[in-house]
Short mmCIF file of all heavy atoms in Angstrom, two decimals:
data_model
loop_
_atom_site.label_atom_id
_atom_site.label_comp_id
_atom_site.label_asym_id
_atom_site.label_seq_id
_atom_site.Cartn_x
_atom_site.Cartn_y
_atom_site.Cartn_z
N PHE A 63 -17.32 12.21 -10.58
CA PHE A 63 -17.21 11.19 -9.54
C PHE A 63 -18.05 9.96 -9.91
O PHE A 63 -17.61 8.82 -9.78
CB PHE A 63 -17.67 11.76 -8.20
CG PHE A 63 -17.74 10.75 -7.09
CD1 PHE A 63 -16.61 10.07 -6.67
CD2 PHE A 63 -18.95 10.47 -6.47
CE1 PHE A 63 -16.67 9.13 -5.65
CE2 PHE A 63 -19.03 9.54 -5.44
CZ PHE A 63 -17.88 8.86 -5.03
N ASP A 93 9.72 -6.39 -0.12
CA ASP A 93 10.90 -7.16 0.29
C ASP A 93 11.41 -8.01 -0.88
O ASP A 93 10.63 -8.50 -1.71
CB ASP A 93 10.54 -8.08 1.46
CG ASP A 93 10.34 -7.30 2.75
OD1 ASP A 93 11.17 -6.43 3.05
OD2 ASP A 93 9.35 -7.58 3.45
N THR A 114 -11.85 -10.22 1.78
CA THR A 114 -10.65 -9.42 1.53
C THR A 114 -10.76 -8.70 0.19
O THR A 114 -10.41 -7.51 0.07
CB THR A 114 -9.40 -10.31 1.53
OG1 THR A 114 -9.31 -10.99 2.78
CG2 THR A 114 -8.14 -9.50 1.31
N LEU A 245 17.25 -1.03 -10.85
CA LEU A 245 18.22 -1.89 -11.53
C LEU A 245 18.50 -3.15 -10.70
O LEU A 245 18.60 -4.26 -11.25
CB LEU A 245 19.52 -1.12 -11.77
CG LEU A 245 19.45 0.01 -12.80
CD1 LEU A 245 20.73 0.83 -12.76
CD2 LEU A 245 19.20 -0.54 -14.20
N CYS A 260 13.03 -12.66 4.53
CA CYS A 260 12.79 -11.25 4.91
C CYS A 260 12.83 -11.08 6.42
O CYS A 260 13.35 -10.07 6.92
CB CYS A 260 11.42 -10.80 4.38
SG CYS A 260 11.16 -11.10 2.63
N CYS A 278 5.75 -11.72 7.65
CA CYS A 278 5.58 -13.02 6.99
C CYS A 278 4.14 -13.53 7.10
O CYS A 278 3.63 -14.17 6.18
CB CYS A 278 6.52 -14.05 7.59
SG CYS A 278 8.27 -13.72 7.29
N SER A 282 1.62 -13.97 1.11
CA SER A 282 1.02 -15.12 0.44
C SER A 282 2.02 -16.24 0.17
O SER A 282 1.64 -17.34 -0.22
CB SER A 282 0.39 -14.68 -0.89
OG SER A 282 -0.67 -13.78 -0.68
#
Side-chain angles (χ1 to χ4, degrees):
F63 174 61
D93 288 314
T114 302
L245 291 171
C260 308
C278 294
S282 296

